[in-house]
Amino acid sequence: MTKKAKTARNATLFALTWPIFIEILLHMLMGNADTLMLSQYSDDAVAAVGVSNQLLMVIIVMFGFIATGTSVLVAQHLGANQDEDAGRVATVSIIGNFIFGLFLSLLLFAAGPAILLMMGLPEELLKEATLYLQIVGGFSFIQSVLMTIGAVLRSHQFTKDVMYITIGMNILNVIGNYLFIFGPFGIPVLGVTGVAISTTISRTLGLIVIAFVLFYRLKGRLPFSFMRRSFPSYELRSLLKIGIPSAGEHLSYNGSQLVITFFIVMMGTEALTTKVYTQNIMMFILLFAIAIGQGTQIIIGHQVGAKKLDEAYERCIRSLKIAIAVSTSMAVIVYFSSRPLLSIFTNNEQIITAGATLLLLTIILEPGRAFNLVVINCLRAAGDVKFPVYLGILSMWGVSIPVAYFFGVHMGLGLVGVWIGFIADEWLRGLLMLWRWRQGHWREMSFVRRSKENQLA
């Protein structure tokens, strides 16, 4: 192992988290750049892209079947000083997710328009939503490989590399949006289609660069040749044992969001646009807890692999306290700035007023969400991957959707009722996740340790 690799494994939470924070911020800025620039084109275009992105998020979560398993297994193997096993897992995950990504890209290109039609999307939005979905979705296999390589680099604690690449992708995306939306120098104005082309090109170039960085950082530790000798059934099975349950929680969340989006479509285009603008702003609050959760997952994966279980327990609790404090503070700041922030996207007074009310409710929502983002990542890093899925499915479909429908549609509260459903779901799951962590069942669930025992047996 090189000296550089050894140093990387001793990184602190802050050293890991701030590049992840910047990376996620830039991913959000990429989405917000699309929304902000399209808002100058038309509000209908914003709504069309917003609905298409809901479907694309489901696909991205499915790519997480393998990418999430990669994060956990590589970190645990590295913590246990099993570098060769970490390399084999990384290799299998990259190739496996590329093949899976190609399959889903073809499926989305063919079936995506029919899904949009089934969702009851208004006719004025259907054409643009379909174009965006077919272009971005048809090339979504690029995202599957990007996610997997990013997971490998983060698990090796090279979080800055992924951040720098994300910066470059964002710059390219914004330039492309400007060219295709505003049409300088005689370039044709393509609107939603142009945004889709810009997104795809920036991701393609990002993939080329991140692949180069991967081979540079992990010289000799990605044994692609072993794939030619035999089918890697053991590594793939290990990835899916963690990845499928872990991604199942996210898939359940995005599936429930699709159902709730259907409720909001029933409320009208204005309600749908309000949701898109408000959630774009909310993501800036959310990213603090996401970054802390992901940084903590890397550290706990290494600690569990090294059998430092008491240190892992305390790390989770400290990270949770930080995430709650920061998320709540940011939610308060954003609420008091809500009208100027919403005015960036639209001058529709009804949208601005409704969005401000939702951001007030977000002050209650975000601390509950911080519980989930941090503690679920800790449970997953330790190998306790099934409990969050079971509880997530129960809460999202048994609490979030029924409460959102009852208050939002049946009682006529609209988006306020939907946000009440979000709050009930996040707080219930968050508190139960903390209870699970305190119970300590995860102490006996180290996947690396169990897999080695199974091999010996």
Side-chain angles (χ1 to χ4, degrees):
M1 189 196 313
T2 65
K3 184 177 180 181
K4 193 169 191 178
K6 286 182 180 178
T7 303
R9 294 187 190 182
N10 296 323
T12 63
L13 177 65
F14 179 76
L16 289 172
T17 298
W18 78 261
I20 295 174
F21 174 86
I22 299 298
E23 179 195 345
I24 299 169
L25 173 63
L26 291 172
H27 274 302
M28 292 177 185
L29 285 174
M30 186 180 288
N32 275 271
D34 290 350
T35 303
L36 181 59
M37 290 181 169
L38 279 173
S39 70
Q40 310 303 308
Y41 182 73
S42 91
D43 281 346
D44 282 355
V46 171
V49 170
V51 174
S52 294
N53 277 329
Q54 287 273 200
L55 288 173
L56 290 170
M57 283 302 298
V58 174
I59 297 300
I60 288 172
V61 167
M62 294 179 75
F63 296 151
F65 286 177
I66 293 177
T68 304
T70 303
S71 298
V72 174
L73 278 176
V74 171
Q76 287 196 6
H77 280 306
L78 292 175
N81 292 317
Q82 299 166 359
D83 286 31
E84 184 178 345
D85 290 334
R88 289 168 68 94
V89 168
T91 302
V92 173
S93 65
I94 292 168
I95 295 174
N97 229 10
F98 170 68
I99 296 170
F100 187 47
L102 277 176
F103 170 75
L104 288 181
S105 294
L106 292 171
L107 184 64
L108 193 59
F109 183 84
I115 297 173
L116 289 172
L117 196 61
M118 288 170 56
M119 290 179 66
L121 202 64
E123 188 175 343
E124 66 269 20
L125 304 182
L126 189 58
K127 182 180 177 181
E128 290 187 323
T130 300
L131 281 170
Y132 185 87
L133 187 63
Q134 288 191 314
I135 295 171
V136 177
F139 288 92
S140 58
F141 67 89
I142 296 170
Q143 186 69 10
S144 73
V145 184
L146 267 170
M147 286 175 61
T148 312
I149 295 177
V152 173
L153 287 172
R154 286 190 210 95
S155 294
H156 282 83
Q157 303 192 359
F158 295 119
T159 54
K160 290 182 184 178
D161 294 346
V162 186
M163 177 193 70
Y164 293 138
I165 292 165
T166 304
I167 290 173
M169 288 170 58
N170 271 269
I171 292 171
L172 290 172
N173 187 64
V174 170
I175 292 172
N177 285 350
Y178 175 76
L179 294 176
F180 289 123
I181 292 175
F182 299 104
F185 316 116
I187 295 172
V189 175
L190 299 179
V192 170
T193 303
V195 169
I197 293 171
S198 175
T199 299
T200 302
I201 291 174
S202 64
R203 286 179 178 175
T204 302
L205 294 175
L207 175 59
I208 293 169
V209 175
I210 202 171
F212 172 80
V213 171
L214 176 73
F215 286 105
Y216 172 75
R217 288 295 195 187
L218 306 184
K219 293 173 183 174
R221 284 182 279 163
L222 289 176
F224 284 96
S225 59
F226 93 93
M227 295 275 291
R228 295 196 297 266
R229 295 194 296 270
S230 61
F231 183 76
S233 57
Y234 175 77
E235 288 80 9
L236 190 58
R237 187 168 62 250
S238 299
L239 283 166
L240 295 180
K241 278 183 180 178
I242 293 180
I244 290 178
S246 299
E249 187 263 337
H250 294 291
L251 187 61
S252 176
Y253 176 79
N254 282 279
S256 68
Q257 288 296 300
L258 279 175
V259 174
I260 291 173
T261 298
F262 176 74
F263 297 160
I264 296 172
V265 168
M266 294 166 57
M267 300 173 192
T269 300
E270 190 172 274
L272 185 60
T273 304
T274 302
K275 172 185 178 284
V276 173
Y277 288 149
T278 304
Q279 288 194 325
N280 272 310
I281 294 171
M282 287 172 61
M283 289 301 288
F284 287 98
I285 307 170
L286 186 62
L287 66 90
F288 291 93
I290 294 175
I292 293 169
Q294 290 189 9
T296 304
Q297 176 178 302
I298 294 169
I299 292 175
I300 287 182
H302 282 255
Q303 288 174 333
V304 169
K307 301 183 182 181
K308 298 177 180 178
L309 303 184
D310 290 336
E311 291 181 25
Y313 177 87
E314 293 299 330
R315 176 69 271 165
C316 175
I317 300 301
R318 288 198 303 271
S319 295
L320 176 60
K321 291 177 180 177
I322 295 169
I324 291 172
V326 174
S327 296
T328 304
S329 300
M330 287 302 302
V332 171
I333 292 170
V334 166
Y335 167 67
F336 283 108
S337 309
S338 58
R339 296 190 73 84
L341 288 172
L342 288 161
S343 297
I344 295 172
F345 296 100
T346 182
N347 57 8
N348 185 317
E349 185 60 31
Q350 288 182 310
I351 292 177
I352 292 172
T353 301
T357 301
L358 298 180
L359 289 173
L360 175 61
L361 291 173
T362 298
I363 297 174
I364 305 172
L365 172 63
E366 289 305 329
R369 187 140 55 179
F371 272 94
N372 286 303
L373 290 169
V374 174
V375 183
I376 288 177
N377 274 316
C378 294
L379 288 168
R380 183 181 300 133
D384 191 356
V385 294
K386 293 183 180 179
F387 180 81
V389 180
Y390 298 149
L391 182 59
I393 292 172
L394 180 64
S395 180
M396 294 168 199
W397 296 85
V399 176
S400 183
I401 290 176
V403 171
Y405 179 83
F406 178 77
F407 286 104
V409 179
H410 181 72
M411 298 297 292
L413 294 179
L415 290 174
V416 171
V418 171
W419 253 244
I420 292 172
F422 292 162
I423 291 168
D425 166 49
E426 295 287 355
W427 273 99
L428 175 64
R429 281 192 295 131
L431 292 172
L432 289 175
M433 293 301 170
L434 179 60
W435 169 81
R436 178 73 171 186
W437 182 257
R438 290 186 180 278
Q439 289 293 302
H441 298 295
W442 54 271
R443 290 175 178 270
E444 305 299 324
M445 294 183 177
S446 169
F447 192 85
V448 167
R449 188 160 63 242
R450 285 190 290 114
S451 66
K452 286 294 176 184
E453 288 168 357
N454 290 340
Q455 283 181 303
L456 293 171

